[in-house]
Amino acid sequence: MATVLLIEDDALVRRGLELALKRHGHRIETAEDGEDGMSRFGAGGVDVVVLDLMLPGMDGFEVCRRMREAWQGPIIMLTARDDDFDVITGLEAGADDYVVKPVQPTVLDARIRAVLRRIVSDPEGVRTHRGLRIDTESLAVTVEGREAGLTPTELRLLLTLSRAPGRVFSREQLLEEVWEQGYLGDSRLVDNGVMRLRAKIEADPARPEYVQTVRGFGYRFGPV
């Protein structure tokens, strides 16, 4: 059972999702705007944040950015339309996934459960690639001795790529393994996930050493 913080300004939508997610076994905390959401978030005990982008006052983009300054847990954004600008801006602000309104509670529940499954222990131990160290049991990642501060999705993406250095993973394969979405999933999740991961582990994200693009095919972890 997860504790979900639902930040949604529409009272009918908020109440409907609250009741539905409770039926799916989650504990639900609710907030009606960004300020209220940050206050409840600050009280602690939250496992997942479900965040509407179009909030009065402090919008969902700003809420997401502020949360990411102090927390690496999963954030799912709700957007009123499948708009490239909204989706990309939300992902760049630090969201792990998104769901388009009107929201089907079963879909949202599936996305919540998927983001909670993304942290898994790997029995291989420690992977070292030049200055990058990945402890697959403690799930600690350091770059030149500095903690990388990865989100669960970024960590799962790095674990997936680094288990087979040199192997090319297509976007579809990464959607399936990291985001648990099939072929019809959104490849923007992969591209933005890679961008955010590079920003945290690469000395020069524009010339990546670890997470490399194979044009026309996908991504690979750079050979040791």
Side-chain angles (χ1 to χ4, degrees):
M1 182 183 293
T3 298
V4 179
L5 173 57
L6 171 63
I7 307 175
E8 165 62 62
D9 65 308
D10 187 310
L12 290 177
V13 173
R14 186 173 64 248
R15 183 57 175 164
L17 289 177
E18 178 184 9
L19 293 174
L21 291 175
K22 282 182 176 179
R23 286 196 295 270
H24 283 286
H26 303 291
R27 298 187 187 95
I28 308 299
E29 296 283 340
T30 63
E32 63 184 23
D33 57 36
E35 295 287 352
D36 188 21
M38 289 301 302
S39 176
R40 291 174 185 266
F41 171 76
V46 174
D47 298 309
V48 183
V49 173
V50 176
L51 172 64
D52 184 26
L53 291 183
M54 297 296 105
L55 296 171
M58 185 193 306
D59 65 22
F61 303 109
E62 181 62 21
V63 172
C64 187
R65 281 190 287 267
R66 291 193 184 188
M67 288 182 174
R68 276 289 173 251
E69 291 175 358
W71 189 64
Q72 301 303 323
I75 299 173
I76 300 172
M77 58 183 182
L78 304 179
T79 178
R81 58 190 187 280
D82 189 7
D83 180 270
D84 281 350
F85 177 80
D86 282 356
V87 170
I88 291 172
T89 304
L91 293 173
E92 289 178 348
D96 295 280
D97 203 348
Y98 75 95
V99 178
V100 177
K101 292 181 176 181
V103 181
Q104 295 296 323
T106 53
V107 172
L108 182 55
D109 172 61
R111 297 292 179 85
I112 290 170
R113 294 179 187 276
V115 295
L116 289 171
R117 285 194 296 265
R118 286 177 193 166
I119 294 298
V120 293
S121 181
D122 187 321
E124 292 180 19
V126 176
R127 302 172 189 170
T128 303
H129 305 269
R130 298 189 178 97
L132 179 65
R133 185 179 187 276
I134 307 165
D135 188 323
T136 61
E137 294 184 350
S138 69
L139 301 178
V141 177
T142 58
V143 183
E144 305 295 346
R146 172 185 55 83
E147 185 69 35
L150 303 184
T151 67
T153 300
E154 292 158 1
L155 178 56
R156 182 70 173 267
L157 178 59
L158 180 59
L159 288 172
T160 299
L161 290 167
S162 66
R163 74 171 183 241
R167 173 186 167 186
V168 178
F169 288 82
S170 69
R171 289 173 174 80
E172 291 75 23
Q173 288 173 316
L174 292 171
L175 276 170
E176 184 68 35
E177 295 197 36
V178 178
W179 283 267
E180 299 188 10
Q181 296 183 28
Y183 180 75
L184 295 178
D186 190 340
S187 63
R188 291 174 296 188
L189 294 171
V190 178
D191 294 336
N192 278 274
V194 166
M195 179 189 69
R196 286 162 44 196
L197 177 59
R198 283 173 173 166
K200 294 181 179 181
I201 68 171
E202 302 283 2
D204 182 0
R207 293 189 176 107
E209 177 181 2
Y210 301 119
V211 181
Q212 301 175 347
T213 301
V214 180
R215 197 170 300 279
F217 292 93
Y219 298 100
R220 71 180 175 197
F221 195 80
V224 295

